[in-house]
Amino acid sequence: MHSQLDAVAARADAGVEPALDQLIRYLAIPAISCKPDRAPDVVRLAEAVCADLAALGLERARVLHLEGALPIVAAEWLHAEPGRPTVLIYGHLDLQPADEDDWETAPHAPTRIGDRLYARGSADDMGGWVSHFAALKAWFDVAGGPPCNVKLIIEGEEEIGSPNLERFMDAFPDVFASDVMVLTDCENPSTDTPGLTVSLRGLLELRLTCRALSADVHSGLWGGMVPDVSIALARLIARITDDDGRLTVGRVDVGPTRAAAGRTVPIGADELRGGAHLLPGVNPLPVRDRSAAEWMWWQPCLTIVATTLPTLDRKKNALRKEASAILSLRVAPDQRGEDLEALVTAELLREPPGGVQVTVERAGWHGEGWLYTPKGPAFDAADRAYRRAWGRSLVQVGVGGSIPFVALFGRRFGDLPLILNGVMDPLTTAHGPNESLHLGVFRKAVLANVYLLDELAALGG
Ligand SMILES: [Zn+2]
């Protein structure tokens, strides 16, 4: 049996370059789901992927449609020996938009530079599911098929929050029915260390408004005795943040185990500088008494995402009647959004600066966080597969953002093993300019996928 697995792995390794060619063909299609005029591109990509899956040897390859939704590609192969599990593999077709002016290469003209492939979607998420295609191709070529049953789902609306994915789950339940789910849209902590994603933060938006006057008035006549709502707004934001700019309200105790795990995650100044486009001379925030991983994955944080403060083009010598800001609050994975909302609101409403009227309203709710405890044979199997391909154990990582499809899978299928992996690394800049895939990560992902199917097959159904 081992000689066959070795042969599949060797075939997969030899298939990496053809898989990159296939990826490059897909990446040339600007399948941007948030732009209605790009919907035909999402459909065109779905049809191309569907045809390729059928050619690869998968069965029932089809493009699923629902009214008002971009399509999903589904395919399966269910001819494994009796007693073998069914593994569902998820990825997404669609892309974030790319502002060409900020890119050094054309975002939809994939370009290899050094050990990276630059293109929108190269790592988020086309490289992720193409790495599965390459592993499956090797299994079909050498062994006539994978060692377990496989279902594939490639979604078309992940980048707009998967608004119709649950409808697809309801309309096509057999497409999702499985024993283990491999959700490939996540990040590795470095190009040498494979990541297993086990947490997400939630996202809550509050609208903070300060009102003082029924009309703007002359700042020269009244300044000194009349409150400035812009300053009141700034002081309120300062009240809930420290000098580093971090949210001080609602911090959670992650416990000694996670705190220690966070310190082992290799996120250093270089990853932060490169990944977050820090200007020369600007340093990441000091970690203080926690780790970078804990700050970015497991603590709540605040970003000001919109304000009505006077803008440079609306300058006038006036005290304004009101000012608002949208506070975007990332909710810790094990924190209730309502609890963070209550704490922040109470702090903002006490003792209004300058006596202004302060209101806090909920402006958006994008879901709770998610904290998962991977336990059991599927995760041991995944770790063995990754150690073999990467030479290192899987490191449990979090995602600071909110990925609606993960929360949805967690809610609908949380009693199944959910293996969240991917081909992103800290320099990928998913959603930003110059998104890229590390070619070494891609090669290791292809091999890990080969070994993962072998390991999961041995678990039984
Ligand atoms: Zn993605």
Side-chain angles (χ1 to χ4, degrees):
M1 187 63 202
H2 258 234
S3 60
Q4 185 188 57
L5 180 59
D6 290 341
V8 177
R11 184 58 156 254
D13 197 59
V16 166
E17 282 299 324
L20 283 170
D21 291 341
Q22 180 184 33
L23 174 60
I24 285 167
R25 280 201 311 281
Y26 294 152
L27 288 168
I29 301 176
I32 300 164
S33 51
C34 71
K35 293 192 173 168
D37 61 327
R38 290 297 184 193
D41 291 306
V42 180
V43 174
R44 181 157 63 99
L45 177 60
E47 284 165 357
V49 168
C50 183
D52 288 348
L53 286 172
L56 209 149
L58 286 136
E59 297 174 350
R60 293 183 76 209
R62 56 219 193 276
V63 180
L64 304 176
H65 291 274
L66 281 181
E67 182 71 33
L70 291 167
I72 281 181
V73 181
E76 64 191 36
W77 188 84
L78 305 177
H79 303 292
E81 288 170 27
R84 296 287 173 91
T86 300
V87 177
L88 179 114
I89 296 165
Y90 165 96
H92 66 86
L93 296 165
D94 59 322
L95 307 177
Q96 282 280 324
D99 188 345
E100 313 229 347
D101 294 346
D102 295 335
W103 282 63
E104 284 163 31
T105 60
H108 306 294
T111 308
R112 277 170 85 153
I113 302 172
D115 55 7
R116 305 192 75 97
L117 173 66
Y118 290 83
R120 170 61 83 227
S122 54
D124 177 17
D125 177 42
M126 292 196 199
W129 43 268
V130 171
S131 78
H132 283 290
F133 291 7
L136 287 168
K137 177 161 176 38
W139 276 108
F140 277 108
D141 286 353
V142 173
C148 51
N149 300 311
V150 169
K151 293 182 177 178
L152 278 157
I153 295 282
I154 318 288
E155 195 203 342
E157 297 186 318
E158 195 280 335
E159 298 294 3
I160 53 171
S162 305
N164 295 294
L165 185 57
E166 189 155 28
R167 284 173 61 213
F168 279 102
M169 289 175 177
D170 291 333
F172 305 100
D174 67 301
V175 162
F176 292 85
S178 54
D179 303 303
V180 179
M181 294 186 164
V182 180
L183 309 177
T184 298
D185 191 26
C186 289
E187 184 170 306
N188 303 290
S190 79
T191 56
D192 300 320
T193 312
L196 177 72
T197 296
V198 297
S199 70
L200 304 174
R201 289 192 289 196
L203 180 56
L204 166 71
E205 286 174 354
L206 300 180
R207 184 186 180 108
L208 166 64
T209 301
C210 295
R211 293 185 184 86
L213 312 171
S214 59
D216 295 357
V217 297
H218 195 301
S219 56
L221 293 180
W222 302 102
M225 281 306 292
V226 167
D228 181 338
V229 288
S230 301
I231 292 172
L233 189 80
R235 292 187 71 89
L236 285 172
I237 293 167
R239 181 185 287 177
I240 57 170
T241 53
D242 61 19
D243 285 348
D244 293 330
R246 287 193 177 111
L247 183 68
T248 51
V249 179
R251 287 185 188 169
V252 298
D253 179 0
V254 302
T257 310
R258 251 195 306 154
R263 279 184 223 106
T264 68
V265 176
I267 303 174
D270 287 347
E271 283 78 15
L272 292 161
R273 273 202 191 89
H277 299 280
L278 291 182
L279 289 173
V282 178
N283 294 317
L285 296 180
V287 293
R288 308 291 179 195
D289 53 341
R290 299 166 206 263
S291 60
E294 180 175 336
W295 284 120
M296 294 195 294
W297 302 339
W298 301 326
Q299 291 295 339
C301 89
L302 168 67
T303 309
I304 307 302
V305 294
T307 73
T308 62
L309 292 171
T311 50
L312 292 172
D313 57 331
R314 293 190 300 124
K315 181 173 86 79
K316 62 176 181 177
N317 287 321
L319 289 152
R320 308 301 169 104
K321 57 182 185 172
E322 69 174 65
S324 295
I326 302 290
L327 314 184
S328 165
L329 289 156
R330 299 286 173 178
V331 183
D334 45 350
Q335 179 173 48
R336 280 162 34 97
E338 289 87 346
D339 293 346
L340 182 62
E341 179 178 25
L343 288 167
V344 169
T345 302
E347 193 59 20
L348 293 171
L349 292 182
R350 73 168 174 83
E351 296 169 40
V356 300
Q357 295 173 359
V358 179
T359 58
V360 180
E361 304 154 285
R362 191 182 281 198
W365 171 239
H366 305 278
E368 298 281 354
W370 178 71
L371 184 65
Y372 186 68
T373 308
K375 275 202 281 275
F379 291 97
D380 297 336
D383 190 54
R384 284 193 295 276
Y386 273 81
R387 258 186 287 145
R388 200 156 178 170
W390 287 67
R392 293 219 187 162
S393 274
L394 277 169
V395 170
Q396 293 189 15
V397 299
V399 172
S402 315
I403 314 181
F405 87 82
V406 174
L408 174 61
F409 273 94
R411 180 157 56 76
R412 295 281 296 238
F413 306 106
D415 45 349
L416 298 181
L418 302 179
I419 297 172
L420 271 71
N421 60 8
V423 296
M424 291 180 246
D425 71 86
L427 298 186
T428 287
T429 61
H431 298 200
N434 306 314
E435 177 181 345
S436 64
L437 168 70
H438 186 272
L439 300 177
V441 166
F442 182 73
R443 181 177 294 274
K444 286 179 281 198
V446 171
L447 286 174
N449 292 335
V450 165
Y451 295 133
L452 183 61
L453 292 179
D454 179 68
E455 289 283 353
L456 293 175
L459 298 180

